[in-house]
Amino acid sequence: MTFHKLVIGASIAIGVSVATTPAHATSFSFNNPNEIKTYTGGSNGNFIANDTVAASQALSDGNPSSNVELWYSSENPTSNVGFTATQGNYSATVSSVTASDWNSFGSQWLGDLLSAYTPFQSVWNGFSANTQLLVASYFPLLGMGDPNIGSFQFGQNGGVELTLVGHLDVKTKLSDTLSSKLTEAWNGGVKLLFLGATSLPTASEVQTKISALQQTLNSPLTSAFIKPTLQTQIAQLTSFKDVLTLQATLNAYQGKIGASEIAKVVNNNNTYYAYSFNPTASGITASDDGISYSAYYTWNTPGYTPPSTPVPEPSIILGLLGVAGVFATQRKFKKVSI
């Protein structure tokens, strides 16, 4: 009896061990472990820096509140720090977003953001191309290029799905950034066009100044030598007025503005920028500041198909048969003992 119990116990242990071994696990390799930081999850989680084992666990544990920050030393990455995920023949790279990335991508992101919130769409569409580029150049300062990745998953077709961890509302960040850039532009030269002014003008006051400069520009008495300067001043003031209008619209907006952080994704030889403006409240906040990680955002590559429900591996079936055999054996033992 003792011998049989030992054999039965061993068979259960082997069956369970074999059955729980993943058949197609995703592996992660990090290109700069010194710039990754893992949060273990929940409102009482811990931060673990430079630990690839903890990072791999957070990316694959199915819990989006545990996450990995790519480039944690500052909010303005200077290189694409991240990981390469591999599963069978599938491969994808996820990394932080640099200023160089923003140069080719920022206008698209900002246009999508403002289009996602109806009051801003007409304002953005009314901007000149120069103003759109100018405003887009402001937003690397939002610190959204050092993404926190809550989960990573391959789909059936090798596509990718990410959970990005972020804030439920970035309105204050947007407003503060615009205020800073307006003050910078004012002190950098706009003030000289408003002699005696001690504070920023309104958008209508700037428009009045633009109209006066345009009249001077179009006057036959204005020399050709002065006209290039007038054209530059008009362009400068037009962008300044546009930003004032955007800030006023933003400050008047009563709702929340949800925007995820942004990750660069290379998958199937295509480069994407992963972001979303559709938040899901996480119900938690980070243990250090009590503010971060308040929302989750899901993003996936075009045509992404979720993985199918896993079919039990032969090892799992054998494990279950082993357990069933144990109960049958125990029943026989009971019959013998009666």
Side-chain angles (χ1 to χ4, degrees):
M1 289 291 289
T2 301
F3 173 75
H4 280 295
K5 287 179 180 178
L6 290 172
V7 172
I8 290 166
S11 69
I12 292 174
I14 293 172
V16 172
S17 175
V18 172
T20 56
T21 301
H24 299 289
T26 302
S27 62
F28 300 92
S29 62
F30 296 83
N31 67 355
N32 187 350
N34 292 328
E35 277 290 354
I36 63 167
K37 182 183 281 187
T38 302
Y39 186 69
T40 58
S43 294
N44 297 312
N46 297 313
F47 291 91
I48 306 172
N50 317 327
D51 189 326
T52 59
V53 174
S56 297
Q57 174 66 22
L59 290 169
S60 57
D61 64 5
N63 174 15
S65 72
S66 62
N67 62 82
V68 180
E69 183 175 9
L70 307 178
W71 186 278
Y72 76 86
S73 61
S74 71
E75 291 192 338
N76 296 295
T78 57
S79 65
N80 297 116
V81 168
F83 60 85
T84 296
T86 306
Q87 183 188 90
N89 294 325
Y90 300 152
S91 179
T93 299
V94 180
S95 64
S96 54
V97 175
T98 67
S100 177
D101 294 318
W102 273 103
N103 288 338
S104 60
F105 163 71
S107 291
Q108 176 190 333
W109 175 85
L110 187 59
D112 288 346
L113 168 66
L114 299 180
S115 294
Y117 295 92
T118 305
F120 303 102
Q121 187 168 8
S122 60
V123 174
W124 176 253
N125 291 341
F127 289 170
S128 66
N130 287 338
T131 299
Q132 290 182 351
L133 288 172
L134 176 67
V135 175
S137 72
Y138 296 165
F139 289 99
L141 301 176
L142 279 177
M144 301 178 78
D146 55 337
N148 291 72
I149 311 298
S151 66
F152 175 96
Q153 179 174 265
F154 282 112
Q156 292 185 47
N157 54 4
V160 165
E161 181 175 83
L162 301 178
T163 300
L164 299 158
V165 183
H167 298 274
L168 273 174
D169 191 3
V170 296
K171 185 167 63 178
T172 299
K173 273 192 170 187
L174 289 167
S175 181
D176 289 348
T177 298
L178 291 177
S179 294
S180 174
K181 301 308 290 187
L182 283 167
T183 300
E184 184 180 308
W186 174 253
N187 293 327
V190 173
K191 183 191 294 187
L192 298 176
L193 301 174
F194 293 84
L195 296 178
T198 58
S199 60
L200 269 65
T202 64
S204 61
E205 289 172 338
V206 177
Q207 181 57 55
T208 299
K209 186 67 176 179
I210 291 172
S211 298
L213 291 174
Q214 286 174 330
Q215 286 182 349
T216 303
L217 176 66
N218 297 326
S219 171
L221 301 176
T222 302
S223 70
F225 179 77
I226 297 177
K227 286 187 177 183
T229 300
L230 291 172
Q231 290 171 336
T232 299
Q233 290 174 341
I234 290 170
Q236 181 184 30
L237 286 175
T238 298
S239 291
F240 189 78
K241 181 200 71 173
D242 288 343
V243 177
L244 282 170
T245 301
L246 178 59
Q247 186 189 47
T249 305
L250 181 66
N251 292 340
Y253 184 67
Q254 297 298 311
K256 294 179 179 179
I257 299 177
S260 73
E261 293 178 323
I262 306 161
K264 185 175 184 177
V265 179
V266 180
N267 177 241
N268 294 328
N269 296 319
N270 295 311
T271 298
Y272 306 96
Y273 291 93
Y275 61 89
S276 171
F277 307 117
N278 185 24
T280 299
S282 67
I284 69 163
T285 54
S287 60
D288 59 344
D289 63 7
I291 299 173
S292 302
Y293 309 162
S294 58
Y296 303 140
Y297 298 81
T298 300
W299 175 90
N300 47 55
T301 51
Y304 173 82
T305 303
S308 58
T309 303
V311 177
E313 296 291 326
S315 60
I316 297 177
I317 296 172
L318 289 173
L320 293 174
L321 289 174
V323 173
V326 169
F327 288 113
T329 304
Q330 286 180 329
R331 187 173 181 182
K332 288 180 180 177
F333 287 161
K334 286 181 179 180
K335 285 183 179 180
V336 170
S337 63
I338 290 174

